[in-house]
């Protein structure tokens, strides 16, 4: 469900899942209880609620683990993840400041954490209208794994507030699954 702008380059320099990492002023750290209110506000602002619908499943993102990116001391990005066996799903990713490397830092940290957990892949789902995210996921090394034609119709049954069209007027119809294989 990633809402990400295509962003700058840079790694995270993370050495373990519990540490913070910093690149070009972007600091990535684990989500804490103190972030809960901000997570709810961010998810509601970005997606209309804390619920994410994809692949026939509804997930309450406010209950997930994740990462927070800060820039100049202010929260500027969020990645919410779900560990499923040997796979790490990025259920939601969003940034508030475009083209500063925030999305890249969050995704690279997700990749690092998945490697430390010995996951075989990191994956996520976005929709056909999210052109900047589609390009971004490929820039960070992910591959298109699946195209689910008209899958958003099923997601709307779970989350009726998903609009028919995005702000640019593009229809929101299909789900695209991207993955990075780690093993």
């Amino acid at each position: 469900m990633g809402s990400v702008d295509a962003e700058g380059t840079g790694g995270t320099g993370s050495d373990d899942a519990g540490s913070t990492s910093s690149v070009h002023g972007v600091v990535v750290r684990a989500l804490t209880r103190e972030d809960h209110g901000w997570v709810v506000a961010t998810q509601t602002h970005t997606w209309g609620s804390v619920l994410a619908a994809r692949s026939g499943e509804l997930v309450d993102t406010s209950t997930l683990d994740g990462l927070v990116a800060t820039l100049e001391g202010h929260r500027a990005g969020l990645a919410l993840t779900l560990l499923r066996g040997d796979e790490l799903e990025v259920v939601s990713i969003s940034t508030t400041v475009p083209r500063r490397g925030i999305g890249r830092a969050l995704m690279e940290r997700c990749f690092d954490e998945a490697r430390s957990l010995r996951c075989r892949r990191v994956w996520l789902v976005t929709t056909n209208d999210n052109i900047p995210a589609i390009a971004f996921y490929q820039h960070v090394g992910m591959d298109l794994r699946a195209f689910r034609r008209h899958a958003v119709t099923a997601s709307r049954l779970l989350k009726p507030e998903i609009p028919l069209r995005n702000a640019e007027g593009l229809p929101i119809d299909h789900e695209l699954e991207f993955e990075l294989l780690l093993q």
Side-chain angles (χ1 to χ4, degrees):
M1 306 293 309
S3 171
V4 175
D5 294 305
E7 301 194 358
T9 62
T12 62
S14 170
D15 37 41
D16 79 355
S19 69
T20 60
S21 53
S22 177
V23 172
H24 306 296
V26 178
V27 176
V28 178
R29 62 171 174 78
L31 193 64
T32 66
R33 275 189 257 237
E34 290 75 31
D35 295 312
H36 182 75
W38 177 77
V39 169
V40 169
T42 298
Q43 291 297 98
T44 302
H45 175 75
T46 305
W47 304 113
S49 79
V50 297
L51 301 176
R54 80 281 167 276
S55 306
E57 181 181 20
L58 192 64
V59 176
D60 180 350
T61 62
S62 71
T63 66
L64 299 178
D65 292 329
L67 302 167
V68 174
T70 60
L71 181 65
E72 298 169 2
H74 301 284
R75 288 179 223 158
L78 174 64
L80 299 170
T81 60
L82 184 57
L83 184 62
R84 296 173 179 266
D86 64 351
E87 301 180 353
L88 184 69
E89 179 186 3
V90 180
V91 177
S92 180
I93 181 169
S94 58
T95 64
T96 60
V97 183
R99 305 200 57 80
R100 294 290 299 274
I102 297 163
R104 176 174 291 277
L106 285 165
M107 287 304 298
E108 289 185 1
R109 178 69 179 269
C110 287
F111 300 156
D112 289 346
E113 289 198 9
R115 284 183 189 99
S116 74
L117 293 167
R118 298 180 188 224
C119 291
R120 70 176 186 84
R121 75 179 189 131
V122 176
W123 65 281
L124 55 80
V125 174
T126 192
T127 52
N128 63 284
D129 66 300
N130 198 344
I131 306 302
I134 293 167
F136 171 73
Y137 298 136
Q138 293 175 83
H139 279 290
V140 298
M142 299 183 89
D143 291 315
L144 180 64
R145 180 184 181 277
F147 172 82
R148 296 195 254 310
R149 187 171 183 78
H150 301 299
V152 179
T153 300
S155 293
R156 279 194 192 94
L157 296 175
L158 300 171
K159 186 179 175 183
E161 61 264 38
I162 297 172
L164 295 174
R165 296 185 176 273
N166 71 8
E168 292 78 32
L170 293 174
I172 305 171
D173 290 327
H174 316 296
E175 291 181 351
L176 289 81
E177 182 179 318
F178 284 88
E179 71 177 358
L180 178 71
L181 295 176
L182 303 172
Q183 297 179 7

